[in-house]
């Protein structure tokens, strides 16, 4: 190739040098380490569930849900939720990397989208009480609702600054609570569909800030303790896990009702103020 050919080469076909702080994009911050820990917890939860199924199929030639394995998977997801709760706080307090938001969303898909959907499928698909196709659909809805929820969170910001739709960690924990608390049936699988709908709904959920964040963290720690006791000592911890799972379901049900009541009171107050004027 001559020098004239080189100078006449189309500009759009010449590979450009990468722009921007490429070196900084590869530096992991403390918040990124928490996001990676979240992803690892989700992966380990899936491994625990898969090992439970494979081990029983190899030894007993059938799969029966063993509470200890499901409790262990739930503990891992709760630890992942703790990492997810702190990664944003650490990023704001110290330093956030260029890929922090992307890492956070990818980790959430694994821990709070894929892992709970696998749990739903094992719970409903191997029970013999529901059609296999319904277990597939329910698990798929949990996964897809979580993916849509995260994508919308990255693109849409509410005026109030609260979450639009049930946050995916809380949605995942509610699904896990349903699996741990109830036997698979058409009613309980309907509850799983309802949680998936709440994640993509327009109902606003308050962000855990200040005292609310401390309450959420305390709730996670209590549930981790309850699930750990249940996994090690199922007979004695059975009541604890029922209480914790019931509290989670009640919390997710109560928050949208409280928000709706609050908005109704606001509208009523505005109407009364307009009538006075």
């Amino acid at each position: 190739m001559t020098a004239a050919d080189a100078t006449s080469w189309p500009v759009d076909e010449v590979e450009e040098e990468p722009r921007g702080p490429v070196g900084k994009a590869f530096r992991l911050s403390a918040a990124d380490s928490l996001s990676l820990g979240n992803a690892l917890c989700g992966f380990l939860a899936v491994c625990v569930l898969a090992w439970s199924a494979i081990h029983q199929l190899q030894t007993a030639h059938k799969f029966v849900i063993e509470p200890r394995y499901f409790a262990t998977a739930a503990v891992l997801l709760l630890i992942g939720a703790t990492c997810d709760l702190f990664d944003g706080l650490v990023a704001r307090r110290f330093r956030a990397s260029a890929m922090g938001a992307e890492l956070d969303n990818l980790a959430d898909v694994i821990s709070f989208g894929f892992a709970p959907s696998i749990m739903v499928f094992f719970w409903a698909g191997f029970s013999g009480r529901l059609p296999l196709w319904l277990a597939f659909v329910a698990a798929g809805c949990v996964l897809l609702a979580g993916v849509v929820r995260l994508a919308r969170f990255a693109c849409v910001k509410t005026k109030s600054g609260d979450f639009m739709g049930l946050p995916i960690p809380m949605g995942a924990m509610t699904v896990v609570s349903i699996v741990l608390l109830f036997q698979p049936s058409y009613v309980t699988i309907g509850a799983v569909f309802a949680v998936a709908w709440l994640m993509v709904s327009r109902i606003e959920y308050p962000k855990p800030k200040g005292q609310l964040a401390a309450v959420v963290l305390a709730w996670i720690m209590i549930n981790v303790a309850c699930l750990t006791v249940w996994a090690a000592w199922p007979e004695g911890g059975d009541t604890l896990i029922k209480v914790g799972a019931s509290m989670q379901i009640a919390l997710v049900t109560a928050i949208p009702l409280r928000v709706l009541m609050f908005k109704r009171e606001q509208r009523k107050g505005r109407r009364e103020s307009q009538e006075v004027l």
Side-chain angles (χ1 to χ4, degrees):
M1 181 182 294
T2 64
D5 293 333
T7 56
S8 62
W9 193 265
V11 176
D12 57 350
E13 295 185 14
V14 177
E15 184 177 358
E16 297 183 357
E17 293 294 328
R19 298 176 180 177
V22 178
K24 293 182 179 180
F26 291 98
R27 298 175 186 172
L28 294 176
S29 65
D32 295 336
S33 300
L34 290 173
S35 296
L36 293 175
N38 179 16
L40 182 61
C41 287
F43 169 72
L44 292 176
V46 174
C47 288
V48 168
L49 296 173
W51 167 250
S52 173
I54 293 171
H55 179 69
Q56 290 191 45
L57 290 173
Q58 286 178 339
T59 56
H61 303 289
K62 65 177 182 179
F63 176 69
V64 179
I65 293 177
E66 190 169 345
R68 289 182 302 167
Y69 289 103
F70 272 66
T72 302
V75 168
L76 289 167
L77 294 184
L78 283 167
I79 295 173
T82 305
C83 294
D84 184 65
L85 179 64
F86 277 105
D87 61 1
L89 299 175
V90 172
R92 288 189 292 270
R93 178 65 178 82
F94 298 99
R95 179 180 61 86
S97 70
M99 56 182 177
E102 286 73 15
L103 276 178
D104 185 32
N105 283 341
L106 290 171
D108 287 350
V109 168
I110 297 171
S111 293
F112 310 128
F114 182 62
S117 66
I118 291 293
M119 187 176 290
V120 168
F121 177 72
F122 282 9
W123 168 71
F126 289 93
S127 65
R129 303 182 181 187
L130 297 171
L132 185 61
W133 65 267
L134 187 59
F136 273 117
V137 172
C141 284
V142 171
L143 175 63
L144 294 179
V147 172
V148 172
R149 173 68 183 78
L150 290 170
R152 190 174 65 182
F153 173 73
C155 301
V156 180
K157 303 299 180 184
T158 60
K159 294 181 180 180
S160 62
D162 294 331
F163 294 116
M164 181 184 293
L166 181 65
I168 186 172
M170 188 176 291
M173 291 303 104
T174 307
V175 168
V176 170
S177 297
I178 293 171
V179 170
L180 293 177
L181 196 58
F182 303 106
Q183 292 294 325
S185 66
Y186 286 101
V187 174
T188 52
I189 206 74
V192 171
F193 282 114
V195 174
W197 174 80
L198 283 174
M199 284 194 284
V200 296
S201 70
R202 295 188 178 184
I203 299 174
E204 293 186 5
Y205 284 78
K207 285 187 176 181
K209 301 176 182 177
Q211 292 182 352
L212 182 59
V215 170
V216 172
L217 178 61
W219 173 84
I220 291 175
M221 294 295 100
I222 291 171
N223 276 274
V224 168
C226 291
L227 285 165
T228 304
V229 171
W230 189 47
W233 185 37
E235 295 78 10
D238 190 59
T239 303
L240 294 175
I241 186 56
K242 287 182 179 179
V243 171
S246 301
M247 287 175 57
Q248 169 64 26
I249 296 172
L251 179 66
V252 171
T253 306
I255 288 177
L257 293 176
R258 180 66 187 92
V259 171
L260 291 174
M261 291 175 60
F262 178 72
K263 289 187 175 181
R264 181 178 296 178
E265 292 173 358
Q266 282 186 326
R267 288 194 297 267
K268 184 178 178 181
R270 285 195 296 265
R271 285 197 301 266
E272 291 177 352
S273 61
Q274 290 175 357
E275 291 175 357
V276 171
L277 295 176

